[in-house]
Amino acid sequence: MEPVAGVSGRREAEESLLDDPDALAELDPGGMLRFTASAGAQVRESAALAAEANLGVLADEGRPRAVVIAGIGTAGRTGDVLATVAGPRCPVPVIPHRSAGVPGWVGAADVVIAISASGRSPEALGAAEAAARRGARLVAIGAPDSQLQSVADRVRAPFIPVPRRAPARASLWALTVPVLLAARTLGLVKVNEADLAETAARLDADADRCRPTAESFVNPAKSLALGLAGSVPIVWGSSPLATVAARRFGDTLSANARYPVVAGALGEAGRGRVGLLDGVFGGLVESTRDIFADPDDDVSPATRLRLVLLRDGGLNAEDDTDEPLAVEERRADAVQTLAERRGVRCDVVTAEGGSALERLASLVAVPDFASVYLALAHGLDPMAVPAITEMKELANQ
């Protein structure tokens, strides 16, 4: 097989690279670490831009029957964030939609929020056009002076510009905040300015902890990346909020570090996927490992599972939730015990913060950095993904 143009890197991770800031800068010419560190600034900028948009017109017709969040990739993930932050008390359904167009039932009683970082994704454009045809209220979020803005302007719908400063996968917060503020205008979610400020401060603090000049033994993102190196990561969230963060980590591990990932809800895993811990990459391979052997002597180490558990104890045990917090916590304790018994290594990231949004940020920030550091440890440029470029070219032929 001939090498593919633009594909480079090394099979084994090189730990020393992560403690060499100059090497990191050379391997990251596009600045993915810098973009990841901008998360707090994204929250502030997007909140200011949303405040300037004419979102008040959304509330003129009262509460909608349903809200459809239309987008793909990171834009689509914003719908999961809104549904989770709004929680089970949300008075209307919040439905993420990742296909072109909108569901067949959407009409004048509904709101469609179309999101595209580039302002030209077929999914967002198709949803915006369909919403206009059916008389649904529309909000568009994306790059200024884009096709998406043209559609919004044509039907006099609110448009929130998101300057294209980073790749879409590094723009989660720039795209999410406008969605949340549009939903707040509709009375669907309680997110106040203090929540946004605290979330931005949390993201800034985590960016400082995960900065390139912080050595691996004090940098939680570098430590997580090195633990995952050479493994098959399994990322499970203990609660709905943590599950959104788990799926986000799966997204970034795949796109930035090119790792295959199993990600999802711990509740679902307990109905079948927890059996992975007993499989050929889990307990079976760990049972043959010599704990006294020198890892450097193993020229061809076996591929093993690495469990990452994102835990969220919740804000208030009295809140209405899909499942009691005690059940979620016992399940998380159980899976950690199962992993320990089988010798499967487990990393735990625990949510912190006073609001749902800040807690989500605390579960997303370190894993976001870890996915970039894992790519760099393998000599991969996290910004340039040749397969994505080729896929777009082939699909558009």
Side-chain angles (χ1 to χ4, degrees):
M1 180 183 297
E2 295 183 0
V4 177
V7 176
S8 60
R10 58 183 63 85
R11 176 68 178 82
E12 304 296 329
E14 187 173 332
E15 182 176 349
S16 62
L17 284 174
L18 297 191
D19 288 331
D20 185 341
D22 291 335
L24 291 176
E26 184 177 347
L27 290 167
D28 185 23
M32 185 63 84
L33 280 172
R34 183 177 70 255
F35 291 137
T36 304
S38 74
Q42 290 178 29
V43 171
R44 298 184 188 92
E45 181 181 42
S46 288
L49 292 170
E52 296 173 2
N54 187 22
L55 291 177
V57 300
L58 286 175
D60 293 344
E61 298 179 39
R63 182 176 292 168
R65 177 180 60 177
V67 176
V68 174
I69 312 297
I72 196 74
T74 302
R77 195 62 70 199
T78 65
D80 300 330
V81 175
L82 173 58
T84 306
V85 172
R89 292 183 179 180
C90 184
V92 305
V94 174
I95 302 168
H97 184 71
R98 293 177 169 85
S99 303
V102 294
W105 48 262
V106 169
D110 307 302
V111 170
V112 174
I113 304 178
I115 310 116
S116 170
S118 66
R120 60 176 184 271
S121 81
E123 292 78 15
L125 288 172
E129 295 279 8
R133 287 195 305 271
R134 299 186 190 186
R137 281 175 279 175
L138 172 66
V139 181
I141 300 166
D145 303 317
S146 62
Q147 293 170 269
L148 187 57
Q149 181 172 5
S150 296
V151 175
D153 290 346
R154 189 173 71 244
V155 298
R156 298 182 179 179
F159 177 79
I160 302 174
V162 177
R164 194 75 190 274
R165 307 192 195 285
R169 63 184 181 277
S171 303
L172 174 68
W173 297 100
L175 298 172
T176 295
V177 169
V179 172
L180 294 173
L181 295 182
R184 184 181 71 177
T185 302
L186 293 165
L188 308 184
V189 65
K190 294 180 180 179
V191 175
N192 57 42
E193 277 59 38
D195 294 334
L196 294 172
E198 290 164 2
T199 298
R202 169 77 57 180
L203 291 166
D204 286 343
D206 283 335
D208 183 63
R209 290 198 302 145
C210 300
R211 66 190 184 278
T213 54
E215 296 184 352
S216 298
F217 67 92
V218 294
N219 187 319
K222 290 181 180 180
S223 297
L224 180 56
L226 292 173
L228 290 171
S231 72
V232 177
I234 299 181
V235 189
W236 286 330
S238 69
S239 70
L241 189 78
T243 298
V244 173
R247 291 188 170 125
R248 162 68 179 179
F249 195 20
D251 294 342
T252 57
L253 280 173
S254 295
N256 293 335
R258 282 68 129 178
Y259 265 54
V261 188
V262 177
L266 186 54
E268 297 170 353
R271 301 299 189 271
R273 286 192 174 183
V274 73
L276 290 168
L277 299 178
D278 290 333
V280 295
F281 299 108
L284 288 181
V285 70
E286 293 296 349
S287 66
T288 64
R289 179 166 58 92
D290 182 356
I291 62 174
F292 299 106
D294 185 347
D296 294 333
D297 293 339
D298 191 352
V299 295
S300 182
T303 301
R304 296 180 169 90
L305 297 181
R306 183 82 177 204
L307 178 61
V308 180
L309 185 59
L310 305 184
R311 298 191 63 159
D312 173 32
L315 295 171
N316 186 345
E318 302 302 319
D319 285 347
D320 293 332
T321 55
D322 293 333
E323 290 186 291
L325 293 176
V327 173
E328 294 176 352
E329 289 297 288
R330 286 200 302 271
R331 186 182 290 133
D333 289 339
V335 78
Q336 285 186 245
T337 300
L338 289 174
E340 181 180 352
R341 288 176 178 175
R342 287 152 178 78
V344 175
R345 311 286 175 83
C346 179
D347 297 286
V348 180
V349 180
T350 304
E352 299 177 353
S355 68
L357 192 62
E358 184 183 358
R359 294 178 75 80
L360 178 64
S362 73
L363 292 173
V364 167
V366 171
D368 270 5
F369 275 99
S371 70
V372 179
Y373 283 126
L374 184 55
L376 297 175
H378 283 283
L380 295 166
D381 180 352
M383 180 77 78
V385 186
I388 294 177
T389 304
E390 289 181 53
M391 180 70 181
K392 292 177 179 178
E393 292 173 350
L394 291 170
N396 291 329
Q397 285 181 355

